[in-house]
Amino acid sequence: MCTKNPKQGFNKVSWSATEDSILAEHVRTHGEGRWGRVPKRTGLNRCPRSCRLRWLNYLRPDIKRGNISIEEEDLIIRLHNLLGNRWSLIAGRLPGRTDNEIKNYWNTVLKKKKLKVPSVESMHSNGEGDQKCKSKKEIGSPQFECPTLFNESSACKEHDNRTSKREYKEAWLNAGKIPDVSFFSLEDSYTFDQLMGSDIEQIGSSCVLDIDDLEKDQRIWGSAYSPMSFDDSWGISDNWFSWLGENSMESYILPL
DNA sequence: AACCACCCCAACCGCAACAGT
DNA sequence: CACTGTTGCGGTTGGGGTGGT
């Protein structure tokens, strides 16, 4: 655990080029992980978490530098509509971008853009567009921008009764099929309709289907396309789930 | 040139989940 | 099962840069 400066409370210190090179060299030699040992081994006067963060957000070789493109911005907006403030998941769909970067971009750029354009949800609520949850459990429910009478409180309440991430994952792996999806609300289905053009589709409260990866495999995609029809009331038809289960599509299911 | 206000982003925090013993 | 250390995540904030006066 990083400790606060007892005198000044909070004391941010930027990483120097020397520190960066020491850390980068250490990761190159020993690999990622075991961050608790890094400060001792390298002599860096940094806490393990600070080292990890510096590597993940700045030093990693696959980090993409430069401005967020229009395409990336569009994807961020669509994924945020789908997933809410789950920055790591959103970042996972943007190669080379970190969750911190996307979070910052949202808070400094996109949030303002969103405020400028009156959304439907603002007409139904007090205008607080972003969810303000105190814990990750509360964040669990994606905040959908629904054109109808979406009710956030009822959606959150619904989420409490949903299967936990771990149970969901285990159930999927053990049973070889997608567990109960009866929690799909009518409101959610409207969101799926809106997101038909997206490369990612939510198939439950705790996982999404990676359409991008699916499309890469032409054999699978070709045979999958026909049963993947969308149902008017539930967003994704039962055919999807049965087809996915029959064809061992675990690798295309991304747990949230 | 000096000051101020604002903005952006890196770095921090608390909490929760996970892994190991 | 309980405990402890580690890791991952989202929220928050201090520092530095920039533009306006």
Side-chain angles (χ1 to χ4, degrees), chain A residues 188-189 191-198 200-203 209 211 221 224-240:
Chain A
D188 285 355
S189 73
T191 305
F192 293 130
D193 290 342
Q194 279 191 318
L195 292 162
M196 277 291 284
S198 173
I200 193 168
E201 295 292 349
Q202 176 136 3
I203 59 172
L209 178 65
I211 299 292
W221 180 247
Y225 200 169
S226 61
M228 285 181 181
S229 58
F230 281 73
D231 184 280
D232 282 339
S233 58
W234 292 97
I236 296 177
S237 75
D238 288 339
N239 286 343
W240 269 60

Side-chain angles (χ1 to χ4, degrees), chain A residues 12-223:
Chain A
K12 289 190 181 184
V13 183
S14 295
W15 281 70
S16 67
T18 311
E19 286 178 306
D20 280 347
S21 63
I22 290 171
L23 178 59
E25 181 57 33
H26 179 271
V27 176
R28 266 192 292 274
T29 310
H30 298 92
E32 289 184 46
R34 305 266 184 185
W35 297 106
R37 300 177 182 180
V38 174
K40 278 187 181 179
R41 285 185 171 183
T42 60
L44 285 169
N45 189 27
R46 299 280 181 174
C47 71
R49 299 174 69 187
S50 201
C51 295
R52 174 184 163 270
L53 208 67
R54 185 63 179 174
W55 171 257
L56 292 177
N57 287 339
Y58 192 81
L59 297 175
R60 239 172 47 198
D62 57 337
I63 294 283
K64 191 192 280 183
R65 295 276 158 213
N67 295 336
I68 303 272
S69 68
I70 300 292
E71 291 77 17
E72 287 176 312
E73 185 180 304
D74 179 59
L75 186 56
I76 292 169
I77 292 167
R78 286 194 288 138
L79 288 171
H80 187 269
N81 281 338
L82 181 66
L83 302 168
N85 293 358
R86 279 176 283 191
W87 308 114
S88 61
L89 276 172
I90 296 172
R93 306 295 304 167
L94 291 142
R97 301 295 185 186
T98 67
D99 54 354
N100 208 33
E101 188 178 13
I102 290 167
K103 181 172 57 183
N104 283 332
Y105 190 70
W106 180 269
N107 287 331
T108 56
V109 180
L110 297 181
K111 209 172 184 176
K112 289 170 193 166
K113 284 189 182 179
K114 199 180 177 184
L115 285 174
K116 282 182 183 176
V117 182
S119 65
V120 177
E121 70 194 29
S122 69
M123 288 185 267
H124 293 296
S125 67
N126 60 6
E128 183 65 33
D130 294 310
Q131 56 193 94
K132 197 83 177 177
C133 294
K134 288 176 182 176
S135 70
K136 269 192 272 187
K137 282 184 179 176
E138 291 174 70
I139 295 165
S141 180
Q143 187 175 39
F144 298 134
E145 239 177 16
C146 179
T148 58
L149 298 171
F150 176 69
N151 184 318
E152 184 178 330
S153 59
S154 68
C156 281
K157 195 185 288 179
E158 185 184 3
H159 174 262
D160 292 339
N161 297 324
R162 292 174 179 177
T163 317
S164 73
K165 186 171 77 174
R166 196 174 178 177
E167 288 168 338
Y168 200 96
K169 196 174 176 181
E170 283 174 3
W172 162 255
L173 292 174
N174 292 337
K177 64 185 180 113
I178 298 179
D180 178 29
V181 292
S182 58
F183 46 70
F184 267 102
S185 67
L186 185 60
E187 286 81 2
D188 285 355
S189 73
Y190 283 117
T191 305
F192 293 130
D193 290 342
Q194 279 191 318
L195 292 162
M196 277 291 284
S198 173
D199 58 356
I200 193 168
E201 295 292 349
Q202 176 136 3
I203 59 172
S205 67
S206 303
C207 58
V208 295
L209 178 65
D210 192 333
I211 299 292
D212 250 359
D213 283 350
L214 200 62
E215 283 179 303
K216 282 176 192 166
D217 190 331
Q218 290 299 320
R219 181 187 58 80
I220 293 175
W221 180 247
S223 58

